[in-house]
Amino acid sequence: MTEMLAMAENEPFCGQLAGQDLHVVWHEQPGADLLRSLWASLPGGAVCSAFQTRQFVECFFQEMAPAACDTFGVLAAYRAGLPDPFALLPLIRLRKGPVRIASTPDLGVADQNGPVLSKALASEGEETVQAVMAAMIDAIPDADVVDIKKLHASIGSAHNPFFLHPKASAESCTLYLDADALLAAGASSGKGIYKKTSGTFRKLQNEGVQLVEATTPEERLQILEALMVCRAQRFKALGRANSLKQDNRENFYRALAAQAGGGNPLKVLALTSDGDIVAVVAMLVENGCATGILISIGPEQWHRFSPGIVVLVQSIYWARDNNIRIYSFGTGLQAYKSRFGAMEQSTRRLLLPLTVKGHAAITALKAKQGLRETVDRWKQQKTSQTA
């Protein structure tokens, strides 16, 4: 791709799509009202993961992006003559040395990334969707590289066009339960972990512990604050760094919890005893998909009951009972996740140069990765020879 010129606020990029004029507009540092208008005006509604919902993006732009990013905004694609956008791409721009990197709102709080499609566009077929995505990438202003990680195969009910992009490469994988696995959760023929945890949950209930779901902003905030306190104490005791202290993440989650309305993707479940927290799990839920994002346990007196595992199983039951099709355990392949019958799904990364400088940066990055892989293989060979 050739060097892109800087684009001012609302200056359109123009192109062609199947004989129709296509306009892509860059909305830089949009306010809450504009974000709500953009998402609400998508024909048929938005198709996206929970990490690209309007609420998530609004809170990210409010709490995390200003301090951590050069700039941030939303690309909106329009067909000529039509007032409403039919695709959106939230973006942030970071710098790594002299290289300007465009990515989606993440900074460690997004487990899935991708664009926001309208249901109207998603129904038009992969070729059309890919053409729109190509136009939107071409319209990204003032960046040398596009780097979007943690791409899953689908976003809501649609294929993720960035996962299918010909330049996307294998990255890692995550663990999840599909609809069949969710239906089987807790069945007599299911995994032993469910049977064992059901017994433990009954013991907790006998101790006066209750399972509650936060249904109002006030309840979400109250339980979230308790989760953050428990997490800080737990990580301090373990001698581990608490990632919630990075990049204003705590205030981001507070802002998300405080969002009113039924469309809030944040769902919070807690085990409580006389108002005190025993364990908490927080999920992001959208378009039939749930992703666990935060979990913590309370005072040591409850640890013998493994309350973290109990509340995690209860979140799986919640997903099953609320017609969730996919329950994702989030990033990471920790061993405990496989105990629930979870399956692997591949993730991909889209790394594209936009300028000559971007080409050079990606070439250097790939050379560095290749050298690292060579050294790792050499170390493995040496280890096997001396074993």
Side-chain angles (χ1 to χ4, degrees):
M1 298 183 184
T2 57
E3 184 84 19
M4 299 296 297
L5 298 176
M7 295 171 61
E9 168 73 8
N10 292 339
E11 181 181 344
F13 167 90
C14 300
Q16 290 285 321
L17 176 65
Q20 305 176 40
D21 288 333
L22 174 68
H23 302 279
V24 181
V25 179
W26 170 240
H27 298 283
E28 188 161 5
Q29 301 188 19
D33 289 343
L34 177 55
L35 291 174
R36 289 168 186 168
S37 175
L38 289 171
W39 263 254
S41 59
L42 289 165
V47 178
C48 61
S49 85
F51 302 93
Q52 288 79 51
T53 56
R54 186 271 302 169
Q55 294 90 341
F56 183 98
V57 173
E58 180 181 330
C59 295
F60 186 98
F61 282 176
Q62 172 186 319
E63 300 295 341
M64 296 186 70
C69 306
D70 281 353
T71 192
F72 53 91
V74 177
L75 284 173
Y78 299 80
R79 284 194 170 98
L82 297 180
D84 296 327
F86 63 107
L88 304 172
L89 181 56
L91 290 170
I92 59 175
R93 192 182 72 216
L94 308 167
R95 282 186 181 269
K96 190 170 183 179
V99 181
R100 303 163 299 176
I101 301 172
S103 188
T104 46
D106 189 339
L107 297 179
V109 295
D111 289 344
Q112 301 178 36
N113 289 304
V116 181
L117 309 178
S118 66
K119 288 184 179 178
L121 175 60
S123 67
E124 292 190 31
E126 294 301 325
E127 185 176 349
T128 300
V129 173
Q130 287 291 355
V132 174
M133 292 302 105
M136 297 185 84
I137 289 172
D138 282 341
I140 294 175
D142 298 331
D144 302 302
V145 171
V146 174
D147 189 6
I148 306 176
K149 303 175 183 178
K150 291 179 279 189
L151 297 172
H152 287 226
S154 61
I155 47 173
S157 57
H159 295 300
N160 187 341
F162 290 162
F163 183 92
L164 298 175
H165 194 285
K167 295 295 186 180
S169 59
E171 177 191 38
S172 183
C173 59
T174 60
L175 295 172
Y176 77 104
L177 301 172
D178 64 9
D180 290 338
L182 286 170
L183 287 174
S188 58
S189 60
K191 290 282 181 180
I193 185 67
Y194 293 108
K195 182 177 180 180
K196 180 180 179 180
T197 304
S198 293
T200 306
F201 183 42
R202 286 193 295 271
K203 292 177 182 178
L204 282 166
Q205 290 175 312
N206 291 336
E207 296 284 336
V209 174
Q210 295 179 316
L211 176 69
V212 299
E213 178 183 353
T215 57
T216 67
E218 293 77 18
E219 291 171 345
R220 286 193 296 267
L221 277 167
Q222 182 180 11
I223 295 176
L224 185 68
E225 290 290 353
L227 180 152
M228 290 190 291
V229 170
C230 291
R231 181 184 171 98
Q233 293 172 343
R234 179 75 171 160
F235 277 59
K236 183 177 180 180
L238 294 172
R240 293 170 52 191
N242 184 1
S243 61
L244 286 186
K245 298 299 183 181
Q246 300 173 9
D247 297 321
N248 207 32
R249 292 183 189 182
E250 288 185 331
N251 283 338
F252 161 75
Y253 287 118
R254 289 186 180 105
L256 189 57
Q259 288 267 329
N264 194 326
L266 183 64
K267 309 299 178 186
V268 181
L269 302 178
L271 298 173
T272 66
S273 175
D274 295 328
D276 294 330
I277 293 298
V278 177
V280 182
V281 64
M283 302 173 284
L284 284 183
V285 180
E286 181 73 8
N287 280 319
C289 300
T291 302
I293 56 169
L294 294 171
I295 188 167
S296 191
I297 58 177
E300 189 173 351
Q301 71 187 80
W302 300 107
H303 291 186
R304 61 192 174 93
F305 294 101
S306 301
I309 295 295
V310 173
V311 78
L312 188 57
V313 166
Q314 291 301 317
S315 73
I316 292 171
Y317 291 161
W318 181 94
R320 176 197 64 193
D321 297 339
N322 284 272
N323 300 315
I324 297 300
R325 295 178 290 103
I326 297 291
Y327 179 98
S328 173
F329 289 89
T331 57
L333 298 174
Q334 294 87 345
Y336 77 87
K337 297 177 182 179
S338 61
R339 298 170 64 190
F340 301 96
M343 299 171 289
E344 289 189 2
Q345 60 178 345
S346 299
T347 62
R348 309 189 82 186
R349 176 185 185 182
L350 183 60
L351 188 62
L352 292 174
L354 298 178
T355 65
V356 173
K357 186 188 295 182
H359 273 285
I362 290 176
T363 299
L365 174 62
K366 290 182 177 179
K368 184 177 180 180
Q369 290 174 336
L371 178 60
R372 186 184 303 119
E373 291 170 0
T374 299
V375 171
D376 289 342
R377 285 195 298 270
W378 178 80
K379 289 181 178 179
Q380 291 172 1
Q381 290 172 357
K382 295 289 287 184
T383 301
S384 63
Q385 290 171 0
T386 58

